[in-house]
Amino acid sequence: MRIHRLKLAAVAVGLSTALAACGDAGGDTAGGDTPDVEVQEDAASQFEEGTRMAELAEAGEITIGVKYDQPGLGFKDASSDVPTGFDVEVAKLLAADLGIDPESDSVTWEETISDNREPYLQEGRVDLVLASYSITDERRQVVGQTGPYFLTGQQVLVPADSDVESIEDLRGEDVCSVTGSTSLTNVEDAGANGVPAETYSQCAEDVVNGTVPAMSTDGSILLGLAAQYDGELKVVGDEFSEERIGVGYPQEYPEMCEWINETLTEAYDSGAWGEAFEATLGGDGVETPEPPALDECQA
Amino acid sequence: MAVNAVLENSDLVLVAFGYTLLLFVLAGIGSLLLGSLLAALRVGPVSIMRRSVSVYVTLIRNTPLLVILIFFRIAGPKVGLRFDFVDVTIGEINLNAVFTACLVGLTVYTSAFVCEALRSGINAVPVGQAEAARAIGLTFGGAMGQVILPQAFRASLPPLTSVQIALLKNTTVAGAVGVFEAFARMRSLTNDYTTQTYGIFLAFAVIFVVLVEIVSFLSLRLERRWKVAR
């Protein structure tokens, strides 16, 4: 039973219009305004006592692991306090469902790089991970994963003047990706030399300055980077892997799975998911995809 | 078993340690050569050389290795310092611009330490040796190369070994900036085989212990052999 909705939305829309009138003279840019999220009121009582969700709702605080170097998905630049991107928007929907205002300090955004997502969940350092986290069977043995809330596949990012058309053209060539990511393994499986880097931005930098001829990871991340280096980089080729991006949660709280799925379904139905997509990954000429089908929770 | 991942991917692990060893051996040789030259210059008669080497050593010794590697690897290409003329492939191992940048960084860094280790060795050589060398008509280069440095090497073998062991472990920093050496491979394995993280860590640690033990064993043998000659 989810009644008592606090209609923050209306207020927030009014506010943002007022603010927009003051500052923004250039008209709206792609990915500019993020959708407003309705915060669940009196959330603690909605959940069964003793569940992790009830605990979090009662505490009124949550720590969420996101990426900081993936424009469009999870990105934080030096000057902002809060990361932005699709992963972050979905995370906000989940936080709001626990009655935690995602715009407030009650949500702690923790940077999780590819390598430390499982350890952070196992140590309890983060409560949820939404960090372009591909669902794999191997990972499901140590952490909980559900979703997917987004489907993507690996593509190739090359300099704008490059002749490379797909990953096949890069056999035996250096291709950069992040250390400890599935992308790097896929690159090697495709016959290219993997060049490990600490961050995606470092890879992009290497492609721009010509140290490596290409980088590869999920298409959505590459689109964001290509937009960042406008005119210098381009995304090419078909997707050569299928990544199912899901939500990671600690394995000792299996009850979180049903809740995450319910919240995602709700976001699919209400259009919040679509709005989040349009505000972050969407843009001119990018069609909003159908929400992917969710995996069933293992009881 | 906990280390199945390592066994199943033994070919990848071997290539990774190939990179590690290549970095170690090449930077090891490079740093011994450059370090000896620096040490010779540092005690040499030309004041400007002595001072520049002293600045070099102070600067490099006080800069973290990662900063030096990032300089050659990321800042270098921006200011035109590129190594893209290097493109050698040995089997599965690909020596490219990134590898060379890391190799140069490691060599530059380790040389400063080799230089200091050798300088302590030079100090251990009795002054009479240098005076005698000059008395029989050897030039500075001759005295250094034939009389002083050979004795200095023997005297500074233990610290030189420590420097080289540190270099072997320092090669892992290259894994963070683009060489698929042992450390980077370990991280890709722990990512793919999340259930075997500890086993993978242990396996790589054990291999590193073995490598370091081999280096110290060789050094010990040299030390024993040279002791007699002294």
Side-chain angles (χ1 to χ4, degrees), chain A residues 113-115 117-118 122 136 138-139 141-142 172 174 176 179-182 184-185 188 193-198 202 205-206 209-212, chain B residues 12 19 73-74 77-78 82 84 92 94 96-98 174-181 183-185 187-188 190-196 198:
Chain A
I113 58 167
S114 295
D115 245 5
R117 292 176 294 199
E118 292 90 27
Q122 287 169 316
T136 68
E138 185 75 27
R139 283 175 180 158
Q141 292 182 34
V142 287
D174 292 341
C176 186
T179 320
S181 68
T182 15
L184 199 54
T185 316
E188 294 194 301
N193 295 326
V195 173
E198 280 297 290
Q202 192 191 320
E205 193 65 31
D206 276 343
N209 69 29
T211 311
V212 294
Chain B
L12 295 175
Y19 276 115
R73 172 72 178 75
I74 293 165
K78 284 196 175 165
R82 288 155 194 262
D84 23 7
E92 294 276 298
N94 202 14
N96 52 18
V98 173
V177 291
V179 179
F180 230 131
E181 50 64 76
F183 164 72
R185 178 56 67 194
R187 284 175 77 182
S188 83
T190 52
N191 179 63
D192 292 348
Y193 301 87
T194 343
T195 48
Q196 304 177 30
Y198 295 109

Side-chain angles (χ1 to χ4, degrees), chain A residues 57-117:
Chain A
E58 220 153 281
E61 278 177 355
I62 190 166
T63 308
I64 302 176
V66 292
K67 289 259 172 92
Y68 275 7
D69 65 340
Q70 297 179 350
L73 279 173
F75 182 74
K76 182 171 170 295
D77 65 35
S79 60
S80 52
D81 301 327
V82 183
T84 55
F86 185 62
D87 284 346
V88 179
E89 289 309 316
V90 175
K92 283 180 180 172
L93 293 171
L94 290 167
D97 196 68
L98 293 171
I100 302 168
D101 179 3
E103 306 296 338
S104 71
D105 289 344
S106 313
V107 179
T108 312
W109 303 101
E110 180 96 34
E111 182 178 16
T112 46
I113 58 167
S114 295
D115 245 5
N116 63 20
R117 292 176 294 199

Side-chain angles (χ1 to χ4, degrees), chain A residues 137-249:
Chain A
D137 290 339
E138 185 75 27
R139 283 175 180 158
R140 273 194 165 155
Q141 292 182 34
V142 287
V143 296
Q145 283 191 315
T146 188
Y149 60 88
F150 187 54
L151 296 180
T152 181
Q154 209 166 320
Q155 283 174 292
V156 181
L157 185 74
V158 291
D161 55 359
S162 168
D163 299 332
V164 172
E165 276 167 6
S166 70
I167 187 74
E168 277 84 41
D169 296 343
L170 290 162
R171 245 169 238 284
E173 299 275 343
D174 292 341
V175 177
C176 186
S177 198
V178 161
T179 320
S181 68
T182 15
S183 311
L184 199 54
T185 316
N186 292 338
V187 162
E188 294 194 301
D189 291 346
N193 295 326
V195 173
E198 280 297 290
T199 59
Y200 288 102
S201 28
Q202 192 191 320
C203 276
E205 193 65 31
D206 276 343
V207 178
V208 170
N209 69 29
T211 311
V212 294
M215 73 174 280
S216 175
T217 184
D218 301 348
S220 44
I221 301 171
L222 296 181
L223 281 174
L225 287 168
Q228 222 182 16
Y229 290 90
D230 197 18
E232 288 184 83
L233 297 174
K234 63 178 180 187
V235 181
V236 294
D238 290 330
E239 295 178 354
F240 60 94
S241 72
E242 196 199 46
E243 304 298 332
R244 304 164 67 246
I245 307 295
V247 183
Y249 57 92

